[in-house]
Amino acid sequence: MRIVTSLGGIVIVLVAAAILTPSFYGSANLNDLFRQIGFIGVAAIGQTFVLLVAGIDLSVGAMLGLAMVVSAQLTGGHNDALAVAVLAALGLGLLGGALNAGLVVGRRVPPFVATFATFTLIEGGISAWTKGSPSGQVPPGLSWVGAKSIAGVPTPILIFVVLLAVAAFVLGRTSYGRRVYATGANPAASRLSGVPVRAVVTSTYLISAVLALIAGLMTSGYTGYVDNYLSHNLNLDSIAAAVVGGTALTGGKGGVGRTTIGVVLIAVLIDFLGLLGVGNAGQLLIEGAVILGAVWLQGRGRSAAQTG
């Protein structure tokens, strides 16, 4: 039912775009749309892993900002130190993911509070490092993962497809994937069955952090400069894509295939609203309404299952 609803939403937006904003189907806009799908999709894959263990990661946007700032500050906009900057960004991202996991698993802090604290800490660190004004040029070498195309296909969506295939295989075909679902569905029973629940939960936060950093590097390569505004949207976009696609906030249900449908819906909706001239406040309002609708459908589905 959720998949049908999400697909129906995509069709409605596409039809509305054809009527109200024909430029939506122009080649330039479609290229931008595919890139947007790639950026949101990579982060949403990581968010899906965390949601499957009944967690949530609100530090994704800060990770994106961290990737942009590190890639600009450590390189000065030149390719010479690009490899060092990428490794440094990924290393810092892993530290952020480890902090999330340490708070959630080690200190039993609610995921919402823990990851929001990490978001605030990283944002504060970025502000202190850049003296309150994140800026700078990103090395042109990063454009290959954000702004270039291969055989006419934007690289961000190619990267997304590759990571999606890997994630789908891991969740659907490996013992680790089965442990992720079991941990989210019933952590107490999983623990009694020998599943290393703490390690599984920790791994999902590390995966989310790394994928958020990759999404940040891709976005950096596309913009070519540090844009702190973008980092504030990725939290909502990645969560919205996963939840709208059908991944349950209560854990144990969903997957990256469903998330992909949500990614497409959110990206198409954002692009359409942008062409309509709807401001950021209006976009947030509509996107929030979409999330609320998805959560309501989840609750209705659980109630029906219980009464049935």
Side-chain angles (χ1 to χ4, degrees):
M1 180 63 182
R2 175 63 53 76
I3 295 176
V4 173
T5 302
S6 298
L7 289 173
I10 294 173
V11 172
I12 290 172
V13 176
L14 291 176
V15 171
I19 297 172
L20 300 175
T21 56
S23 60
F24 179 93
Y25 292 96
S27 58
N29 186 69
L30 288 178
N31 273 328
D32 287 341
L33 174 60
F34 290 147
R35 295 182 200 281
Q36 183 87 333
I37 290 173
F39 302 147
I40 297 174
V42 170
I45 291 173
Q47 192 73 251
T48 301
F49 273 83
V50 175
L51 288 171
L52 285 173
V53 296
I56 195 168
D57 191 352
L58 297 181
S59 66
V60 165
M63 296 293 182
L64 182 144
L66 181 65
M68 299 186 85
V69 169
V70 169
S71 62
Q73 294 291 322
L74 293 187
T75 64
H78 303 291
N79 288 331
D80 298 344
L82 179 57
V84 174
V86 170
L87 290 175
L90 292 175
L92 290 171
L94 283 172
L95 285 177
L99 177 59
N100 283 333
L103 290 172
V104 173
V105 176
R107 305 302 300 174
R108 298 186 183 278
V109 178
F112 184 95
V113 177
T115 58
F116 183 72
T118 300
F119 173 88
T120 305
L121 179 64
I122 294 175
E123 286 286 297
I126 291 174
S127 182
W129 185 12
T130 60
K131 296 181 174 58
S133 180
S135 60
Q137 296 297 312
V138 173
L142 271 181
S143 65
W144 283 104
V145 297
K148 301 295 184 179
S149 298
I150 298 177
V153 181
T155 52
I157 200 166
L158 293 176
I159 294 171
F160 169 52
V161 169
V162 170
L163 293 174
L164 176 66
V166 172
F169 175 81
V170 168
L171 288 174
R173 300 288 184 177
T174 67
S175 59
Y176 170 75
R178 290 190 289 273
R179 290 175 176 179
V180 168
Y181 281 101
T183 297
N186 194 326
S190 298
R191 191 176 292 108
L192 291 174
S193 300
V195 175
V197 170
R198 292 164 64 91
V200 170
V201 174
T202 296
S203 69
T204 62
Y205 282 100
L206 294 176
I207 290 170
S208 180
V210 169
L211 290 179
L213 259 295
I214 292 174
L217 293 171
M218 292 162 58
T219 305
S220 300
Y222 176 65
T223 61
Y225 61 90
V226 176
D227 188 342
N228 199 43
Y229 168 79
L230 293 174
S231 66
H232 296 155
N233 290 339
L234 195 60
N235 277 336
L236 183 61
D237 293 342
S238 63
I239 295 170
V243 173
V244 169
T247 299
L249 291 168
T250 51
K253 182 179 179 181
V256 292
R258 294 185 180 185
T259 292
T260 301
I261 298 174
V263 168
V264 174
L265 175 57
I266 295 299
V268 167
L269 182 62
I270 291 173
D271 191 83
F272 173 54
L273 293 175
L275 290 176
L276 281 178
V278 176
N280 186 58
Q283 290 186 25
L284 289 174
L285 180 64
I286 294 173
E287 196 170 345
V290 170
I291 297 175
L292 285 175
V295 172
W296 178 77
L297 286 173
Q298 283 188 6
R300 186 181 179 186
R302 285 196 300 271
S303 298
Q306 291 170 358
T307 56

